[in-house]
Amino acid sequence: MSHDLIKVEKLQNFIDGKLLEPEVGEHTPVINPATLETLVQVPLSTNEDVAAATQAAKKAQKTWALVPAPQRAEVLYRVGSMMKERKETLSQLLTMENGKVLEEARGEVQEGIDMAFYMAGEGRRLFGQTTPAELNDKFAMSVRAPVGVVGIITPWNFPIAIATWKSFPAIVAGNAVVWKPATETPLMAYELAKIFEEAGLPKGVVNVVFGAGSTVGEAMIEQDDIRVISFTGSNDVGRNIASKCGQRLKKVSLEMGGKNAVIVMDDADLSLAVEGIIWSAFGTSGQRCTACSRVIVHDSLKGELEARLQQEIAKLTIGNGLDESIKVGPIINQGGLEKVKSYIEVGVQEGAKLLAGGYVLNDGEHAKGNYFAPTLFTNVDANMRIAQEEIFGPVVSLIPVKSFEEAIEVNNSVEYGLSSSIFTRDVNKVFAAQRDLDTGIVYVNAGTTGAEIHLPFGGTKGTGNGHRDSGVAALDVFTEWKAVYVDFSGKLQRAQIDVD
Ligand code: UN1
């Protein structure tokens, strides 16, 4: 069965094209959240491993940057093809280490495949600008130059897709990568490292160092040769990275979650809205940055929406995601489960009304994993903590409002600004909403999840620091603009001075 897919007992770091034991040699178990079985041991690396990876990357980058970008892209085309061939294996491993159901795991691997082919295409674009110069016989243009060695820190909730969003643009632009994957989900990194190697990526261009954020992540920040840190994870950790990198004038790209809402207006197609809410609130057990955790509903539809959501929640099958009939998988670990549980108490204390779920599932097979019942609160006030703070679990709060304007205001009243959605059939409301919703991603008549890789991914306010993952915007993180002036007049021409 799927266990046979894991061929080793202990994972190793991947540095300079070699599988290496961590210098200090400590490991920690990787637990399948659906069964609590140990899948494999993952290294807890230290400063020395990060230093070795950085040196390997620095050396490799010099040569890699001189490979023409269309040839760099060839490697990504091969990576994409290999991911496609191995899609089912990768998906099963992903379900085992992360818990998301197989259908979603396949979707996530597909997101990585899409990113490979998309970014490979950039090898023949990587556009800069050509523009007239101020003076005769002079040519001006801008080109994208690689930054050098980049550090990427990826989360457990999308362990392969987010890794591709960050590493593929970095690679095609001529950088080398030091990558710290989440210790909860190292198998995707291990598999991707193998693919990079087999696809012919020169050694040292991508280096994987497994370990904790407090050691490996901190060590990456301290390496002067790592010029960019691209991070997806919690707000606290992101702020810490940003402030430390700020001191060192290191570029930082952060993506730190959301408190995303679906707005249901009085003219909405209610069945569609219910489907959109169920999928984006309870898919991945709500453990997406883009998950819907608030539903802002027009008063006139509140009762009907509550009833319809209760009905649909009752139909959700919860269990091990390797079973194709399961719709909702487990929570990543005990800590995650405790956090979700604590928010239920908070909600009840704040006076919200619990309509579904609200408890850890301990019956039968559920006792063997980290399962939480899909949860629905109603009569939630926009200022309650359950309506303001990121829960990262299968918990959704219904907030009734009286108007479109109030809906927009409530949507924008949180610290985060990643994704938002509106269900309405009124074209005027659609256009006003896409203008006024203060989020990096806006959906009309769809839930809050499902971003496509060729568009920018990220958000406003506490979600990030102005950068974007995926899309062309990702190239901005991993390149420096270089302005190039070529004077072919044969004499010294002085800009701004010799203008007459
Ligand atoms: C995340 O949760 O961090 O839009 C990424 C989506 C997916 C990516 C989610 N394509 O939901």
Side-chain angles (χ1 to χ4, degrees), residues 111 157-158 162 165 255 288-290 443 449-451 457:
E111 198 163 341
N157 74 327
F158 272 78
I162 293 179
W165 293 357
E255 202 280 283
R288 290 194 192 216
C289 302
T290 51
Y443 290 95
T449 60
F457 184 95

Side-chain angles (χ1 to χ4, degrees), residues 252-279:
V252 192
S253 168
L254 304 172
E255 202 280 283
M256 303 176 293
K259 189 68 190 174
N260 317 294
V262 166
I263 298 173
V264 184
M265 289 314 301
D266 46 355
D267 65 343
D269 175 339
L270 198 59
S271 300
L272 188 62
V274 167
E275 268 191 80
I277 294 165
I278 294 286
W279 169 236

